Amino acid sequence: MALDGPAERRDESQASVGNGNGVAPPPLRPAGRPSAAGAYADRRLRLNPNMEHKPQDYRDVRGEYAPAVYSALERHLPPSLLDANREIKLQIMRDVLGHYWPHGERNKVQRHREYRQRILNHYKPLHKDLYNMRPSKFFLPTFLEAIRTNTEESFRSIMTEPIPGVYAFPMLQPGFCEMLLQEVENFEKWVHAMKFKIMRPNTMNKYGAVLDDFGLEVMLNQFMEQFIAPMSTVFYPEVGGGTLDTHHAFVVEYGKDRDVELGFHVDDSEVTLNVCLGKQFSGGELYFRGIRCENHVNSETQHEEMYDYSHVPGRAVLHRGRHRHGARPTSSGLRINLLLWCRSSVFREMKKYQKDFSGWCGECKREKKERQIHAVKATKLAFLRSAGGATI
């Protein structure tokens, strides 16, 4: 069956460039300054992390990436670099991470940084309790117990998996949903009163807000690390689920005088969490159409890959960012969803050295199976010809 239309990466503009969460890239080394790291010719990262290696402590490093990013990436450095001094390793890892920040994008990043700082300097939160992680107030007891137990069995006990790789489960307390909705509404009113031009979540949504922009970044990073990463490590290890280190968090709004539907696309994430916050609405189903690598993003959908999901307030959907999807029209009311795009710098670097994504891309998997079938047939044919010649 053909697709509804071309699937395009849901890339960000304005509010989200580079890694999409509005964080500026590492500073470039001044021209002409010698690099001690230049002596290390082998910089190709290991495909699998060296789990026996103990990374150095980067908690004192200030900059654009969390210390955990450097600790995770250090395990992937080539053996010749593991014993180098910390500054050399840090410089090389910054160079690696800097590949995701084209020089032409730096002005946009700087503008966004100034935009965010202006908000943080002047915006007064409506619900201060939202800005610090409070698990018992945010999450349902069943979800917290599954995370505390931290096993595949405990996760599956609260989940359904209607199609491979898509997990649905009850997650958020109604009180948290309501507080977040009120906070977003308060922020949007404040932006309007201040005559700001609000930066939207991405190029596909004309309504909604980036939650990281008005102070929720720290809490949402804990949200990812403590409550999404454990599940992603179990269910999505082949796409970096065990090395998530950055996020882009936002809300989207659908309904009358809002976005009505969302076109067919893939997310700029390794793992996506999508939770309906409310309010009253009908329609707006999320439809899935198979997981694809960049080479096969517009390939045909197989019947078994088709699935439609109906949103329920407080209920979450977890899926790979490369799982093609879209949203049908919201026919009445107002639907608001929380999106958390979780990313892995390590996985993105590793993809540069890979050509076969049959471990997770549906089309790569089918092509590999076809090659194996043809190889078996060719072997059988060669055997029969050889056996026939021997008889003659």
Side-chain angles (χ1 to χ4, degrees):
M1 175 179 176
L3 296 175
D4 302 80
E8 298 177 354
R9 176 172 290 279
R10 189 175 180 181
D11 59 344
E12 302 93 288
S13 67
Q14 302 181 68
S16 42
V17 293
N19 74 353
N21 61 5
V23 182
L28 293 174
R29 189 171 59 253
R33 179 180 171 182
S35 169
Y40 293 86
D42 182 13
R43 298 190 182 192
R44 180 166 176 169
L45 300 184
R46 294 166 52 100
L47 180 61
N48 298 309
N50 182 346
M51 300 309 295
E52 296 180 358
H53 174 70
K54 184 178 179 181
Q56 292 188 257
D57 190 346
Y58 295 98
R59 284 178 294 182
D60 63 319
V61 176
R62 296 292 178 265
E64 316 309 333
Y65 295 95
V69 176
Y70 298 113
S71 296
L73 190 56
E74 184 178 324
R75 294 182 186 273
H76 289 266
L77 292 177
S80 62
L81 271 169
L82 292 180
D83 293 328
N85 69 55
R86 194 184 78 148
E87 290 308 309
I88 289 176
K89 288 189 284 193
L90 190 58
Q91 181 179 320
I92 289 173
M93 289 190 288
R94 279 175 167 163
D95 288 344
V96 168
L97 295 169
H99 292 165
Y100 304 111
W101 300 90
H103 184 70
E105 298 293 332
R106 293 179 184 270
N107 287 337
K108 292 180 182 178
V109 171
Q110 182 59 32
R111 287 197 299 271
H112 183 209
R113 185 186 238 175
E114 294 169 356
Y115 162 84
R116 177 183 288 190
Q117 193 57 52
R118 186 179 176 189
I119 291 172
L120 295 176
N121 288 342
H122 299 286
Y123 177 67
K124 294 182 179 180
L126 178 65
H127 294 295
K128 292 184 179 180
D129 287 347
L130 278 177
Y131 292 76
N132 295 293
M133 176 53 67
R134 303 177 66 192
S136 63
K137 298 294 184 182
F138 293 179
F139 303 107
L140 293 171
T142 52
F143 175 78
L144 287 176
E145 178 60 24
I147 295 297
R148 186 193 65 79
T149 307
N150 195 22
T151 64
E152 181 175 350
E153 291 74 20
S154 69
F155 300 148
R156 289 190 179 277
S157 70
I158 63 169
M159 292 175 165
T160 60
E161 187 181 9
I163 57 172
V166 174
Y167 301 94
F169 50 95
M171 184 184 198
L172 297 180
Q173 293 271 15
F176 173 83
C177 295
E178 185 60 30
M179 277 200 302
L180 187 55
L181 287 171
Q182 292 174 1
E183 191 70 41
V184 171
E185 183 178 358
N186 185 66
F187 172 68
E188 290 179 333
K189 288 180 178 177
W190 179 83
V191 168
H192 180 73
M194 294 292 290
K195 302 189 184 304
F196 273 17
K197 182 180 179 181
I198 189 170
M199 291 186 175
R200 298 302 181 184
N202 51 67
T203 57
M204 298 185 72
N205 290 100
K206 297 179 181 179
Y207 295 89
V210 178
L211 300 178
D212 299 320
D213 282 347
F214 56 95
L216 287 166
E217 182 177 15
V218 173
M219 185 276 285
L220 290 165
N221 201 55
Q222 292 177 313
F223 194 117
M224 178 187 74
E225 292 179 347
Q226 298 174 21
F227 302 99
I228 306 305
M231 295 184 292
S232 298
T233 300
V234 170
F235 296 121
Y236 308 119
E238 74 289 346
V239 294
T243 55
L244 302 178
D245 50 38
T246 57
H247 75 267
H248 176 50
F250 55 96
V251 294
V252 289
E253 304 173 12
Y254 296 91
K256 185 179 180 181
D257 300 325
R258 297 288 192 276
D259 292 318
V260 176
E261 60 186 336
L262 185 64
F264 188 69
H265 67 280
V266 295
D267 295 338
D268 185 12
S269 69
E270 274 61 74
V271 177
T272 292
L273 177 77
N274 186 338
V275 193
C276 182
L277 300 175
K279 302 180 177 179
Q280 297 294 323
F281 62 90
S282 58
E285 295 84 2
L286 196 62
Y287 61 89
F288 291 93
R289 295 295 183 267
I291 307 158
R292 296 292 188 272
C293 67
E294 293 177 8
N295 294 331
H296 296 123
V297 68
N298 289 317
S299 60
E300 290 189 351
T301 299
Q302 305 301 312
H303 179 74
E304 64 272 15
E305 295 177 317
M306 301 176 66
Y307 172 66
D308 282 22
Y309 170 81
S310 296
H311 287 289
V312 176
R315 191 171 179 85
V317 182
L318 192 70
H319 62 85
R320 294 175 182 84
R322 299 297 307 187
H323 205 141
R324 303 178 300 179
H325 60 284
R328 302 196 184 283
T330 297
S331 52
S332 66
L334 179 63
R335 176 172 68 84
I336 303 178
N337 282 48
L338 163 65
L339 276 297
L340 189 65
W341 286 357
C342 306
R343 294 161 173 159
S344 166
S345 302
V346 170
F347 175 74
R348 293 184 178 211
E349 179 66 17
M350 291 297 98
K351 280 202 303 182
K352 295 180 180 179
Y353 310 116
Q354 292 180 288
K355 295 182 179 179
D356 179 15
F357 300 104
S358 56
W360 52 272
C361 171
E363 193 62 26
C364 282
K365 190 178 298 183
R366 274 185 286 278
E367 289 181 354
K368 184 176 183 178
K369 187 175 181 179
E370 288 179 3
R371 288 195 299 268
Q372 291 172 339
I373 292 172
H374 289 318
V376 170
K377 287 182 178 179
T379 301
K380 287 182 177 179
L381 182 59
F383 174 78
L384 291 173
R385 287 175 176 173
S386 174
T391 301
I392 291 172

